[in-house]
């Protein structure tokens, strides 16, 4: 079954929950501004070169949903199970987003950018974070284990804590201010 294709559309101030008007479709070069997707099932939709600004996408269900070259600005993205997305086509950047309590378990986030995001209590276990930039993002109580952190930039990240022995660390960038989070397991 072919999905409807929607090109170059702007969606502003829509509440997809109350109006029950979200279509499972391929959205190409669309923008969503101040829209409410809260707890919506986006199942198998595709978002290509789309921009989300000041939207509430908390607790959305993303089973086999594709986000390719998508940008999220000032969005609320709480409690999302990102591991359910179509990870083969996943590429996104996040700026000033609230993403607390989300799970990125075993997902390929290679090359994603998180700029000034709240990533409190997120799970990055078994994730490929190679080349990811956590620029000025808060990673308090987030969990990294058996994750590929090669070339990951933590140099301006805040409150992260990770075990260097339980992750792949190669050319990873840290700052002196972040040493406490790297030495915590040694109780120094």
């Amino acid at each position: 079954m072919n999905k409807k294709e929607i090109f170059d559309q702007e969606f502003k101030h829509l509440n997809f929950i109350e109006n029950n008007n979200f279509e499972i479709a391929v959205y190409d070069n669309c923008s969503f501004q101040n829209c409410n997707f809260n707890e919506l099932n986006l199942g198998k939709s595709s978002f290509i070169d789309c921009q989300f600004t000041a939207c509430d996408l908390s607790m959305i269900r993303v089973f086999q949903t594709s986000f390719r070259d998508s940008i999220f600005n000032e969005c609320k993205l709480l409690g999302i199970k990102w591991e359910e997305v179509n990870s083969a086509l996943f590429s996104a950047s996040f700026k000033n987003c609230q993403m607390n309590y989300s799970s990125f378990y075993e997902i390929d986030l290679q090359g994603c950018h998180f700029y000034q995001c709240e990533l409190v209590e997120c799970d990055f276990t078994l994730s490929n974070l190679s080349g990811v930039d956590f620029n000025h993002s808060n990673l308090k109580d987030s969990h990294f284990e058996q994750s590929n952190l090669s070339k990951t930039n933590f140099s301006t990240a805040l409150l992260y804590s990770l075990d260097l022995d339980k992750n792949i660390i190669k050319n990873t960038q840290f700052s002196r201010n972040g040493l406490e989070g790297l030495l915590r397991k040694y109780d120094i």
Side-chain angles (χ1 to χ4, degrees):
M1 179 178 170
N2 291 336
K3 286 185 265 186
K4 179 178 180 181
E5 296 182 3
I6 301 171
F7 296 96
D8 305 318
Q9 295 292 310
E10 286 188 8
F11 300 90
K12 294 182 179 182
H13 304 285
L14 294 177
N15 187 334
F16 292 112
I17 303 304
E18 287 180 6
N19 300 330
N20 199 22
N21 59 350
F22 178 78
E23 292 185 72
I24 303 295
V26 175
Y27 295 88
D28 195 335
N29 198 40
C30 293
S31 71
F32 300 87
Q33 297 175 19
N34 295 317
C35 293
N36 183 10
F37 295 85
N38 195 313
E39 296 187 34
L40 190 67
N41 185 355
L42 303 182
K44 299 186 181 181
S45 290
S46 295
F47 298 91
I48 303 163
D49 293 316
C50 289
Q51 185 161 341
F52 298 83
T53 305
C55 293
D56 185 354
L57 297 112
S58 296
M59 303 293 291
I60 56 171
R61 290 180 298 275
V62 292
F63 181 74
Q64 291 300 306
T65 302
S66 298
F67 293 97
R68 189 170 64 206
D69 299 324
S70 294
I71 299 170
F72 297 86
N73 291 309
E74 299 177 0
C75 290
K76 196 172 178 182
L77 298 145
L78 303 173
I80 298 173
K81 293 181 180 181
W82 291 98
E83 65 265 18
E84 295 179 351
V85 299
N86 182 345
S87 60
L89 302 173
F90 187 78
S91 62
S93 64
F94 304 89
K95 183 177 180 183
N96 296 317
C97 291
Q98 296 176 34
M99 304 179 73
N100 303 334
Y101 317 112
S102 293
S103 176
F104 298 92
Y105 178 80
E106 213 172 337
I107 187 172
D108 187 352
L109 295 169
Q110 190 168 286
C112 285
H113 298 282
F114 298 90
Y115 181 75
Q116 292 185 336
C117 291
E118 290 293 317
L119 291 155
V120 174
E121 291 189 44
C122 290
D123 183 9
F124 292 98
T125 302
L126 294 167
S127 296
N128 181 2
L129 297 159
S130 180
V132 169
D133 190 348
F134 287 111
N135 196 344
H136 297 283
S137 291
N138 180 358
L139 292 161
K140 185 177 192 259
D141 296 326
S142 286
H143 186 72
F144 298 88
E145 189 168 336
Q146 297 181 32
S147 301
N148 181 354
L149 302 175
S150 301
K151 298 181 182 177
T152 303
N153 186 355
F154 289 99
S155 64
T156 59
L158 308 169
L159 304 173
Y160 58 88
S161 178
L162 55 101
D163 188 334
L164 297 175
D165 296 327
K166 293 183 179 179
N167 293 285
I168 299 169
I169 309 289
K170 185 174 180 177
N171 297 319
T172 305
Q173 298 176 27
F174 300 103
S175 71
R176 288 183 182 179
N177 294 337
L179 289 178
E180 180 183 341
L182 300 176
L183 299 174
R184 187 166 287 130
K185 89 170 196 173
Y186 300 108
D187 206 20
I188 297 175

